[in-house]
Amino acid sequence: INSLAKALVEFLPRSLPLSPSTELSPASAQHQLIEMWVHGKSPRTTESYRRAAAQFLEFVGKPLHLVTIVEVQAFVTQLQQRD
């Protein structure tokens, strides 16, 4: 499995819930989620993960808060088929 897809799949389920008291626009929440994902990573890893997130968002064609697990799995399958 592509390491970026694996990192995405492992990260999303742990990070999706935001505090109920935190009210962010979907775009702000999406940006914050991606920043949390890359926080503390090396510059090269950060760049690679941001690129993977952009590819994923382009693939699903909608904001993260509307993404289903089926779409995450479809993205992983697509990446596996490319390798």
Side-chain angles (χ1 to χ4, degrees):
I1 188 169
N2 182 299
S3 62
L4 294 177
K6 183 178 178 183
L8 178 65
V9 170
E10 290 174 355
F11 174 76
L12 283 175
R14 291 185 305 219
S15 61
L16 281 177
L18 293 174
S19 166
S21 63
T22 303
E23 294 192 26
L24 298 171
S25 71
S28 293
Q30 182 170 287
H31 175 76
Q32 181 179 355
L33 183 61
I34 292 168
E35 290 306 306
M36 287 171 29
W37 184 37
V38 301
H39 177 76
K41 306 288 190 275
S42 73
R44 290 183 85 178
T45 299
T46 296
E47 179 183 330
S48 182
Y49 281 17
R50 284 191 179 129
R51 190 170 41 254
Q55 290 171 351
F56 175 71
L57 292 170
E58 182 177 330
F59 175 82
V60 295
K62 59 184 170 182
L64 281 176
H65 74 283
L66 298 176
V67 171
T68 67
I69 190 67
V70 172
E71 292 162 323
V72 173
Q73 292 167 335
F75 180 69
V76 171
T77 299
Q78 179 215 28
L79 291 175
Q80 289 172 327
Q81 292 171 349
R82 286 194 309 189
D83 288 344

